[in-house]
Amino acid sequence: MGVQKKTRKFAQVKRVIGQQDARLKKNQAKGEIESKRKAKGNEIVREIPQVSSSLFFQYNTALVPPYSVLVDTNFLSHTVQNKLELLETMMDCLYAKCIPMITDCVMAELEKLGQKYRIALRIARDERWERLKCDHKGVYADDCLVDRVMKHKVYIVATNDRDLKRRIRKIPGVPIMSVARGKYVIERLPDAPEK
């Protein structure tokens, strides 16, 4: 009798757990977070944001003369380019008394823009307009205006900025004033005079 031949057995190596295996502690923690997220998605939303009491459908009853108009940076620059008087043209557009309001953020933005916008800055510094203090950090005027309008829907927003207009259109009951064809035009003011 001869010695029995030992055949080598292939693929018999120690099995190593893969990095994505669910038995590892780090993957178990991830799995728990995922399951919580899925459970949260299935919950019924019981809290709906409070709608402003001044809104009657899309009609904002808080907007009455004298109108408070929040003025944006590029509205002022377009006013200067078209050689328009700010207050008189606003009154021609709305047929009512207007109070242009300029926030600290808009002033800071105009000051940053420098020499090219010096006339717009001079118009903004006029004593007849009302100045609004900003209590937040940073000087990004668009965020400031949107935030102020979300809190209090008593303003008309004057801007020619496309992105800002798009953001404000999502907020119900806030009219937008802009410069077009050498005059001011208003959109979304229900009792605005048609031209």
Side-chain angles (χ1 to χ4, degrees), residues 86-117:
L86 187 71
L87 191 63
E88 284 78 4
T89 320
M90 269 186 195
M91 286 180 164
D92 289 345
C93 176
L94 294 170
Y95 295 139
K97 189 173 189 282
C98 304
I99 304 162
M101 298 187 165
I102 295 164
T103 62
D104 290 343
C105 292
V106 171
M107 286 298 280
E109 208 173 81
L110 278 168
E111 285 163 5
K112 267 189 202 170
L113 289 169
Q115 205 56 22
K116 192 178 175 186
Y117 292 86

mmCIF file of all heavy atoms in Angstrom, residues 86-117:
data_model
loop_
_atom_site.group_PDB
_atom_site.id
_atom_site.type_symbol
_atom_site.label_atom_id
_atom_site.label_comp_id
_atom_site.label_asym_id
_atom_site.label_seq_id
_atom_site.Cartn_x
_atom_site.Cartn_y
_atom_site.Cartn_z
ATOM 1 N N LEU A 86 -37.459 108.993 -7.757
ATOM 2 C CA LEU A 86 -37.903 107.817 -6.996
ATOM 3 C C LEU A 86 -39.330 107.971 -6.458
ATOM 4 O O LEU A 86 -40.222 107.192 -6.806
ATOM 5 C CB LEU A 86 -36.925 107.535 -5.859
ATOM 6 C CG LEU A 86 -37.160 106.255 -5.068
ATOM 7 C CD1 LEU A 86 -36.822 105.042 -5.902
ATOM 8 C CD2 LEU A 86 -36.341 106.232 -3.796
ATOM 9 N N LEU A 87 -39.567 108.989 -5.639
ATOM 10 C CA LEU A 87 -40.855 109.133 -4.957
ATOM 11 C C LEU A 87 -41.987 109.480 -5.927
ATOM 12 O O LEU A 87 -43.063 108.877 -5.876
ATOM 13 C CB LEU A 87 -40.745 110.196 -3.858
ATOM 14 C CG LEU A 87 -41.912 110.275 -2.889
ATOM 15 C CD1 LEU A 87 -42.052 108.981 -2.116
ATOM 16 C CD2 LEU A 87 -41.744 111.435 -1.937
ATOM 17 N N GLU A 88 -41.732 110.430 -6.829
ATOM 18 C CA GLU A 88 -42.785 110.874 -7.764
ATOM 19 C C GLU A 88 -43.228 109.731 -8.676
ATOM 20 O O GLU A 88 -44.422 109.534 -8.926
ATOM 21 C CB GLU A 88 -42.296 112.057 -8.611
ATOM 22 C CG GLU A 88 -42.264 113.383 -7.871
ATOM 23 C CD GLU A 88 -41.061 113.536 -6.946
ATOM 24 O OE1 GLU A 88 -40.194 112.632 -6.942
ATOM 25 O OE2 GLU A 88 -41.000 114.539 -6.223
ATOM 26 N N THR A 89 -42.262 108.958 -9.173
ATOM 27 C CA THR A 89 -42.598 107.857 -10.080
ATOM 28 C C THR A 89 -43.345 106.751 -9.342
ATOM 29 O O THR A 89 -44.242 106.112 -9.908
ATOM 30 C CB THR A 89 -41.319 107.293 -10.738
ATOM 31 O OG1 THR A 89 -40.449 108.370 -11.073
ATOM 32 C CG2 THR A 89 -41.641 106.534 -11.996
ATOM 33 N N MET A 90 -42.985 106.519 -8.068
ATOM 34 C CA MET A 90 -43.715 105.534 -7.258
ATOM 35 C C MET A 90 -45.172 105.963 -7.076
ATOM 36 O O MET A 90 -46.085 105.147 -7.189
ATOM 37 C CB MET A 90 -43.058 105.379 -5.882
ATOM 38 C CG MET A 90 -42.015 104.323 -5.820
ATOM 39 S SD MET A 90 -41.456 104.130 -4.124
ATOM 40 C CE MET A 90 -39.971 103.213 -4.388
ATOM 41 N N MET A 91 -45.354 107.242 -6.791
ATOM 42 C CA MET A 91 -46.717 107.751 -6.592
ATOM 43 C C MET A 91 -47.522 107.685 -7.893
ATOM 44 O O MET A 91 -48.714 107.402 -7.868
ATOM 45 C CB MET A 91 -46.673 109.179 -6.064
ATOM 46 C CG MET A 91 -46.261 109.254 -4.615
ATOM 47 S SD MET A 91 -46.245 110.948 -4.081
ATOM 48 C CE MET A 91 -46.231 110.741 -2.329
ATOM 49 N N ASP A 92 -46.869 107.943 -9.031
ATOM 50 C CA ASP A 92 -47.542 107.831 -10.330
ATOM 51 C C ASP A 92 -47.974 106.389 -10.583
ATOM 52 O O ASP A 92 -49.023 106.142 -11.189
ATOM 53 C CB ASP A 92 -46.619 108.288 -11.464
ATOM 54 C CG ASP A 92 -46.410 109.797 -11.451
ATOM 55 O OD1 ASP A 92 -47.200 110.483 -10.768
ATOM 56 O OD2 ASP A 92 -45.466 110.270 -12.114
ATOM 57 N N CYS A 93 -47.153 105.450 -10.144
ATOM 58 C CA CYS A 93 -47.437 104.035 -10.367
ATOM 59 C C CYS A 93 -48.602 103.557 -9.496
ATOM 60 O O CYS A 93 -49.486 102.836 -9.960
ATOM 61 C CB CYS A 93 -46.185 103.205 -10.078
ATOM 62 S SG CYS A 93 -46.434 101.442 -10.217
ATOM 63 N N LEU A 94 -48.626 103.964 -8.233
ATOM 64 C CA LEU A 94 -49.604 103.430 -7.280
ATOM 65 C C LEU A 94 -50.795 104.350 -7.029
ATOM 66 O O LEU A 94 -51.762 103.939 -6.389
ATOM 67 C CB LEU A 94 -48.915 103.131 -5.943
ATOM 68 C CG LEU A 94 -47.876 102.026 -5.961
ATOM 69 C CD1 LEU A 94 -47.109 102.007 -4.660
ATOM 70 C CD2 LEU A 94 -48.515 100.683 -6.203
ATOM 71 N N TYR A 95 -50.736 105.602 -7.478
ATOM 72 C CA TYR A 95 -51.782 106.592 -7.204
ATOM 73 C C TYR A 95 -52.061 106.727 -5.712
ATOM 74 O O TYR A 95 -53.207 106.824 -5.291
ATOM 75 C CB TYR A 95 -53.086 106.239 -7.930
ATOM 76 C CG TYR A 95 -53.003 106.289 -9.425
ATOM 77 C CD1 TYR A 95 -53.620 105.315 -10.205
ATOM 78 C CD2 TYR A 95 -52.309 107.309 -10.077
ATOM 79 C CE1 TYR A 95 -53.538 105.354 -11.593
ATOM 80 C CE2 TYR A 95 -52.224 107.355 -11.459
ATOM 81 C CZ TYR A 95 -52.843 106.386 -12.207
ATOM 82 O OH TYR A 95 -52.767 106.428 -13.578
ATOM 83 N N ALA A 96 -51.004 106.686 -4.904
ATOM 84 C CA ALA A 96 -51.161 106.811 -3.454
ATOM 85 C C ALA A 96 -49.824 107.245 -2.856
ATOM 86 O O ALA A 96 -48.794 107.204 -3.522
ATOM 87 C CB ALA A 96 -51.591 105.486 -2.854
ATOM 88 N N LYS A 97 -49.869 107.620 -1.594
ATOM 89 C CA LYS A 97 -48.643 108.023 -0.913
ATOM 90 C C LYS A 97 -47.768 106.798 -0.665
ATOM 91 O O LYS A 97 -48.278 105.734 -0.308
ATOM 92 C CB LYS A 97 -48.981 108.689 0.421
ATOM 93 C CG LYS A 97 -47.799 109.331 1.108
ATOM 94 C CD LYS A 97 -48.236 110.112 2.329
ATOM 95 C CE LYS A 97 -47.110 110.931 2.896
ATOM 96 N NZ LYS A 97 -46.158 110.176 3.670
ATOM 97 N N CYS A 98 -46.466 106.948 -0.887
ATOM 98 C CA CYS A 98 -45.516 105.846 -0.685
ATOM 99 C C CYS A 98 -44.417 106.276 0.267
ATOM 100 O O CYS A 98 -44.017 107.434 0.273
ATOM 101 C CB CYS A 98 -44.870 105.441 -2.007
ATOM 102 S SG CYS A 98 -46.046 104.999 -3.255
ATOM 103 N N ILE A 99 -43.932 105.318 1.033
ATOM 104 C CA ILE A 99 -42.784 105.565 1.904
ATOM 105 C C ILE A 99 -41.675 104.601 1.488
ATOM 106 O O ILE A 99 -41.722 103.414 1.833
ATOM 107 C CB ILE A 99 -43.142 105.351 3.394
ATOM 108 C CG1 ILE A 99 -44.326 106.233 3.790
ATOM 109 C CG2 ILE A 99 -41.940 105.633 4.277
ATOM 110 C CD1 ILE A 99 -45.012 105.816 5.060
ATOM 111 N N PRO A 100 -40.674 105.071 0.716
ATOM 112 C CA PRO A 100 -39.553 104.190 0.378
ATOM 113 C C PRO A 100 -38.753 103.853 1.629
ATOM 114 O O PRO A 100 -38.446 104.742 2.429
ATOM 115 C CB PRO A 100 -38.716 105.026 -0.601
ATOM 116 C CG PRO A 100 -39.626 106.100 -1.070
ATOM 117 C CD PRO A 100 -40.566 106.368 0.056
ATOM 118 N N MET A 101 -38.445 102.579 1.809
ATOM 119 C CA MET A 101 -37.695 102.125 2.980
ATOM 120 C C MET A 101 -36.418 101.444 2.527
ATOM 121 O O MET A 101 -36.456 100.576 1.651
ATOM 122 C CB MET A 101 -38.540 101.168 3.809
ATOM 123 C CG MET A 101 -39.772 101.805 4.347
ATOM 124 S SD MET A 101 -40.628 100.722 5.455
ATOM 125 C CE MET A 101 -41.718 101.866 6.245
ATOM 126 N N ILE A 102 -35.311 101.841 3.143
ATOM 127 C CA ILE A 102 -34.010 101.285 2.755
ATOM 128 C C ILE A 102 -33.376 100.648 3.985
ATOM 129 O O ILE A 102 -33.208 101.293 5.021
ATOM 130 C CB ILE A 102 -33.118 102.390 2.157
ATOM 131 C CG1 ILE A 102 -33.754 102.874 0.853
ATOM 132 C CG2 ILE A 102 -31.720 101.878 1.904
ATOM 133 C CD1 ILE A 102 -33.254 104.147 0.322
ATOM 134 N N THR A 103 -33.032 99.367 3.861
ATOM 135 C CA THR A 103 -32.438 98.638 4.985
ATOM 136 C C THR A 103 -30.930 98.905 5.050
ATOM 137 O O THR A 103 -30.329 99.374 4.082
ATOM 138 C CB THR A 103 -32.666 97.124 4.852
ATOM 139 O OG1 THR A 103 -32.026 96.672 3.666
ATOM 140 C CG2 THR A 103 -34.135 96.780 4.790
ATOM 141 N N ASP A 104 -30.338 98.582 6.183
ATOM 142 C CA ASP A 104 -28.886 98.740 6.353
ATOM 143 C C ASP A 104 -28.116 97.874 5.370
ATOM 144 O O ASP A 104 -27.046 98.246 4.892
ATOM 145 C CB ASP A 104 -28.479 98.359 7.786
ATOM 146 C CG ASP A 104 -28.970 99.387 8.799
ATOM 147 O OD1 ASP A 104 -29.321 100.506 8.382
ATOM 148 O OD2 ASP A 104 -28.995 99.067 10.005
ATOM 149 N N CYS A 105 -28.670 96.694 5.050
ATOM 150 C CA CYS A 105 -28.005 95.772 4.125
ATOM 151 C C CYS A 105 -27.896 96.371 2.725
ATOM 152 O O CYS A 105 -26.869 96.247 2.069
ATOM 153 C CB CYS A 105 -28.768 94.458 4.044
ATOM 154 S SG CYS A 105 -28.699 93.519 5.567
ATOM 155 N N VAL A 106 -28.970 97.024 2.279
ATOM 156 C CA VAL A 106 -28.965 97.650 0.954
ATOM 157 C C VAL A 106 -27.956 98.787 0.927
ATOM 158 O O VAL A 106 -27.203 98.942 -0.051
ATOM 159 C CB VAL A 106 -30.388 98.152 0.582
ATOM 160 C CG1 VAL A 106 -30.366 99.000 -0.675
ATOM 161 C CG2 VAL A 106 -31.324 96.975 0.401
ATOM 162 N N MET A 107 -27.897 99.556 2.010
ATOM 163 C CA MET A 107 -26.919 100.654 2.093
ATOM 164 C C MET A 107 -25.495 100.103 2.040
ATOM 165 O O MET A 107 -24.641 100.634 1.325
ATOM 166 C CB MET A 107 -27.120 101.457 3.381
ATOM 167 C CG MET A 107 -28.329 102.351 3.361
ATOM 168 S SD MET A 107 -28.278 103.615 2.084
ATOM 169 C CE MET A 107 -27.230 104.814 2.842
ATOM 170 N N ALA A 108 -25.252 99.036 2.792
ATOM 171 C CA ALA A 108 -23.912 98.435 2.817
ATOM 172 C C ALA A 108 -23.535 97.897 1.440
ATOM 173 O O ALA A 108 -22.388 98.047 1.003
ATOM 174 C CB ALA A 108 -23.866 97.310 3.850
ATOM 175 N N GLU A 109 -24.510 97.289 0.746
ATOM 176 C CA GLU A 109 -24.257 96.759 -0.598
ATOM 177 C C GLU A 109 -23.914 97.889 -1.573
ATOM 178 O O GLU A 109 -23.003 97.762 -2.389
ATOM 179 C CB GLU A 109 -25.501 96.002 -1.077
ATOM 180 C CG GLU A 109 -25.189 94.892 -2.053
ATOM 181 C CD GLU A 109 -26.402 94.047 -2.380
ATOM 182 O OE1 GLU A 109 -27.194 94.485 -3.231
ATOM 183 O OE2 GLU A 109 -26.539 92.970 -1.785
ATOM 184 N N LEU A 110 -24.647 99.004 -1.475
ATOM 185 C CA LEU A 110 -24.366 100.158 -2.339
ATOM 186 C C LEU A 110 -22.989 100.746 -2.056
ATOM 187 O O LEU A 110 -22.279 101.155 -2.973
ATOM 188 C CB LEU A 110 -25.437 101.236 -2.148
ATOM 189 C CG LEU A 110 -26.733 101.052 -2.930
ATOM 190 C CD1 LEU A 110 -27.797 102.001 -2.435
ATOM 191 C CD2 LEU A 110 -26.503 101.263 -4.412
ATOM 192 N N GLU A 111 -22.615 100.797 -0.770
ATOM 193 C CA GLU A 111 -21.290 101.324 -0.405
ATOM 194 C C GLU A 111 -20.185 100.419 -0.920
ATOM 195 O O GLU A 111 -19.132 100.889 -1.350
ATOM 196 C CB GLU A 111 -21.194 101.490 1.115
ATOM 197 C CG GLU A 111 -21.977 102.695 1.621
ATOM 198 C CD GLU A 111 -22.230 102.659 3.111
ATOM 199 O OE1 GLU A 111 -21.728 101.750 3.807
ATOM 200 O OE2 GLU A 111 -22.962 103.546 3.588
ATOM 201 N N LYS A 112 -20.430 99.109 -0.901
ATOM 202 C CA LYS A 112 -19.435 98.149 -1.396
ATOM 203 C C LYS A 112 -19.211 98.283 -2.893
ATOM 204 O O LYS A 112 -18.118 98.059 -3.387
ATOM 205 C CB LYS A 112 -19.903 96.715 -1.112
ATOM 206 C CG LYS A 112 -19.400 96.152 0.187
ATOM 207 C CD LYS A 112 -19.747 94.682 0.238
ATOM 208 C CE LYS A 112 -19.767 94.193 1.655
ATOM 209 N NZ LYS A 112 -20.320 92.846 1.758
ATOM 210 N N LEU A 113 -20.297 98.595 -3.633
ATOM 211 C CA LEU A 113 -20.209 98.658 -5.092
ATOM 212 C C LEU A 113 -19.316 99.798 -5.587
ATOM 213 O O LEU A 113 -18.866 99.762 -6.722
ATOM 214 C CB LEU A 113 -21.609 98.785 -5.701
ATOM 215 C CG LEU A 113 -22.452 97.521 -5.589
ATOM 216 C CD1 LEU A 113 -23.883 97.806 -5.971
ATOM 217 C CD2 LEU A 113 -21.890 96.391 -6.433
ATOM 218 N N GLY A 114 -19.107 100.795 -4.755
ATOM 219 C CA GLY A 114 -18.096 101.809 -5.055
ATOM 220 C C GLY A 114 -18.545 102.947 -5.943
ATOM 221 O O GLY A 114 -19.711 103.332 -5.989
ATOM 222 N N GLN A 115 -17.569 103.468 -6.685
ATOM 223 C CA GLN A 115 -17.689 104.724 -7.409
ATOM 224 C C GLN A 115 -18.782 104.703 -8.476
ATOM 225 O O GLN A 115 -19.438 105.704 -8.709
ATOM 226 C CB GLN A 115 -16.324 105.035 -8.049
ATOM 227 C CG GLN A 115 -16.051 106.491 -8.335
ATOM 228 C CD GLN A 115 -16.158 107.408 -7.138
ATOM 229 O OE1 GLN A 115 -16.055 106.982 -5.990
ATOM 230 N NE2 GLN A 115 -16.385 108.666 -7.395
ATOM 231 N N LYS A 116 -18.977 103.563 -9.110
ATOM 232 C CA LYS A 116 -19.937 103.453 -10.215
ATOM 233 C C LYS A 116 -21.368 103.727 -9.745
ATOM 234 O O LYS A 116 -22.192 104.234 -10.493
ATOM 235 C CB LYS A 116 -19.837 102.053 -10.825
ATOM 236 C CG LYS A 116 -20.561 101.907 -12.142
ATOM 237 C CD LYS A 116 -20.369 100.511 -12.696
ATOM 238 C CE LYS A 116 -21.183 100.323 -13.961
ATOM 239 N NZ LYS A 116 -21.133 98.960 -14.443
ATOM 240 N N TYR A 117 -21.669 103.398 -8.487
ATOM 241 C CA TYR A 117 -23.025 103.535 -7.958
ATOM 242 C C TYR A 117 -23.150 104.703 -6.978
ATOM 243 O O TYR A 117 -24.014 104.695 -6.122
ATOM 244 C CB TYR A 117 -23.452 102.229 -7.276
ATOM 245 C CG TYR A 117 -23.623 101.092 -8.252
ATOM 246 C CD1 TYR A 117 -22.531 100.309 -8.630
ATOM 247 C CD2 TYR A 117 -24.853 100.805 -8.813
ATOM 248 C CE1 TYR A 117 -22.682 99.273 -9.541
ATOM 249 C CE2 TYR A 117 -25.018 99.772 -9.716
ATOM 250 C CZ TYR A 117 -23.923 99.007 -10.086
ATOM 251 O OH TYR A 117 -24.070 97.991 -10.974
#
